[in-house]
Amino acid sequence: MRLVYKQKRPLLILRPIELNVKEGTEVETKDKNFIKDLKALGFEVVEVAKDKEDE
Amino acid sequence: MTMAQSHGFDNTVVVAKETTYGTAPTTGFKWVGIVESFDPSEAMNVDQRRGLGKRAPFALRTGAREVDASISVAVQNGRLFAYALGKVSSAVSGGGNAHTITPVGPGEQLPSMTVQNDNALLGLTRNYLGGKVDTLTLTAEAEEAVTMEAELLFTKFDDTVVTPATVTAELDNYFMFYEGAVKINTVDVADITSFELEIANNLERKFGVKQGDGSASRIEEGSLELTASITMDMTNTTQWDLFKQGNAIEVELELQDIADADHSITITLTGGLYDTNSLTASAEDNQEQELEAVFTGITVVAVDGNATLL
């Protein structure tokens, strides 16, 4: 799943990956817990098709 | 191959509110500030059973398990206040959110937390469960960053976590002493060189006769104590007069980020009285006044970009 950060507040993700986050930052992951946390931080899903193909 | 020694920076510490007491959430772990140190301690309280006919202990059994931790942070947000006091109401304020934090009262309980300490080098992830804040101490001292130290009590630890939690650091400024302002009875007092606030929940760890591993059943909150210690340059007798006359005091500490109008923490202590006063005169030193005060009420308003604190 690919998600994009839609908020203006910069963040620094330390785990499970180290990533400086600003508006427009994209993350691709299949980790369900990470996806849930990313959504809570203000990320929005931009692509789910790739995950379906993988399954 | 020689194993590398783990360093402090190999670790992360994040906190999540438990929805079921003593059960770790898998998501929603949050940042409590820039953690300078995390100092957990686990005690098995081994029972040494003496018996006739043997000089050394006859047998050993693990006893009542006690799990504690202290965490020290540079202050960025009001999250530790939220766990220490318990009640939070949040509303949009300017470009951020204002979280108003007040103490839980009779018939209410403090929120419980899971603290997760992950050591990435060794792959050791420990969840500290059923945690509550026993004491929280905020220190604002001239020439220093503002810090908080929380003493935490837990029912148990668990290292069987499969996947370490997401760790997201907040990048808001940590507060410095020069971003603080203290008002006593609504009057600015600029001569304060040290301000220390302690919130004490007087927690008690409760054990029951139950089958298990000797872990506590729960952590019970006791009476709330609110105290402040203030040190100031002795430039006038205003606080001496308030102390001498036993006058009521209200003390406000405001921390305002100089770079972000939507980032602040304001602590208001109400219903207070000065408890002790000390005015030392020393031949080679400027004179300082040290006061300790107790209070009956506290409200903390933390403004930041977080949607929720707990």
Side-chain angles (χ1 to χ4, degrees):
Chain A
M1 181 177 286
R2 197 156 57 89
L3 303 99
V4 63
Y5 188 57
K6 295 284 191 180
Q7 306 295 316
K8 298 205 180 300
R9 186 189 191 200
L11 298 168
L12 172 62
I13 295 175
L14 295 172
R15 309 273 169 85
I17 53 169
E18 189 165 334
L19 182 68
N20 275 297
V21 176
K22 57 185 182 180
E23 190 175 14
T25 298
E26 291 192 3
V27 175
E28 190 157 352
T29 180
K30 296 176 187 171
D31 181 336
K32 286 179 182 168
N33 287 340
F34 190 34
I35 290 167
K36 192 173 173 186
D37 283 327
L38 289 173
K39 287 180 178 174
L41 290 171
F43 280 78
E44 293 179 14
V45 177
V46 290
E47 185 185 326
V48 292
K50 199 170 182 182
D51 280 359
K52 286 178 181 169
E53 283 170 14
D54 290 345
E55 289 166 6
Chain B
M1 191 178 86
T2 305
M3 290 287 285
Q5 181 181 1
S6 176
H7 197 285
F9 55 62
D10 293 316
N11 291 262
T12 53
V13 173
V14 280
V15 175
K17 184 186 175 188
E18 296 173 346
T19 50
T20 303
Y21 185 76
T23 301
T26 53
T27 60
F29 281 83
K30 293 188 170 74
W31 189 250
V32 292
I34 301 172
V35 179
E36 295 174 330
S37 69
F38 177 65
D39 181 14
S41 83
E42 304 88 6
M44 292 294 191
N45 290 314
V46 170
D47 183 76
Q48 301 186 56
R49 192 55 40 183
R50 303 285 173 180
L52 299 184
K54 205 163 183 293
R55 184 161 173 260
F58 193 87
L60 304 175
R61 298 299 308 277
T62 57
R65 295 189 182 194
E66 293 180 306
V67 183
D68 306 313
S70 67
I71 184 167
S72 179
V73 303
V75 179
Q76 288 175 293
N77 63 43
R79 201 155 271 133
L80 286 174
F81 279 114
Y83 281 104
L85 295 173
K87 280 198 287 198
V88 184
S89 84
S90 301
V92 173
S93 170
N97 294 301
H99 310 283
T100 302
I101 308 163
T102 50
V104 292
E108 299 171 322
Q109 290 187 310
L110 289 169
S112 69
M113 63 167 85
T114 294
V115 178
Q116 185 175 103
N117 173 207
D118 176 50
N119 182 318
L121 182 74
L122 302 178
L124 175 63
T125 308
R126 292 177 294 177
N127 275 343
Y128 291 86
L129 304 168
K132 292 185 180 179
V133 176
D134 190 26
T135 64
L136 179 65
T137 306
L138 176 137
T139 304
E141 202 158 329
E143 303 178 52
E144 305 285 346
V146 181
T147 59
M148 280 203 281
E149 182 168 354
E151 300 284 340
L152 311 168
L153 265 62
F154 302 93
T155 53
K156 64 195 297 186
F157 60 84
D158 177 17
D159 68 351
T160 58
V161 180
V162 178
T163 310
T166 305
V167 177
T168 307
E170 293 172 11
L171 299 177
D172 298 326
N173 281 331
Y174 57 94
F175 291 103
M176 296 297 293
F177 76 97
Y178 53 77
E179 293 172 310
V182 177
K183 286 181 183 169
I184 299 176
N185 290 348
T186 71
V187 177
D188 281 309
V189 182
D191 295 319
I192 289 173
T193 55
S194 173
F195 182 95
E196 188 175 284
L197 161 69
E198 183 177 295
I199 298 166
N201 283 315
N202 290 301
L203 299 181
E204 191 176 348
R205 202 183 332 256
K206 304 293 287 186
F207 295 91
V209 178
K210 66 179 179 83
Q211 290 183 326
D213 58 6
S215 297
S217 302
R218 62 185 187 279
I219 308 292
E220 286 283 339
E221 41 275 71
S223 299
L224 177 65
E225 288 181 87
L226 303 164
T227 54
S229 301
I230 298 168
T231 303
M232 62 183 78
D233 294 338
M234 186 60 187
T235 61
N236 60 68
T237 61
T238 304
Q239 303 310 315
W240 164 250
D241 290 337
L242 289 171
F243 168 76
K244 177 183 67 179
Q245 291 157 9
N247 287 344
I249 54 168
E250 179 176 305
V251 177
E252 179 189 286
L253 170 66
E254 182 187 27
L255 301 169
Q256 174 62 58
D257 187 335
I258 58 170
D260 183 355
D262 296 318
H263 183 218
S264 64
I265 296 178
T266 305
I267 303 156
T268 306
L269 296 156
T270 55
L273 285 177
Y274 282 127
D275 187 30
T276 66
N277 175 83
S278 172
L279 264 171
T280 302
S282 174
E284 296 192 28
D285 296 316
N286 289 323
Q287 203 167 15
E288 291 187 330
Q289 183 174 19
E290 291 179 19
L291 293 144
E292 290 184 348
V294 293
F295 299 88
T296 58
I298 182 171
T299 301
V300 179
V301 179
V303 179
D304 57 30
N306 290 307
T308 57
L309 289 185
L310 295 177

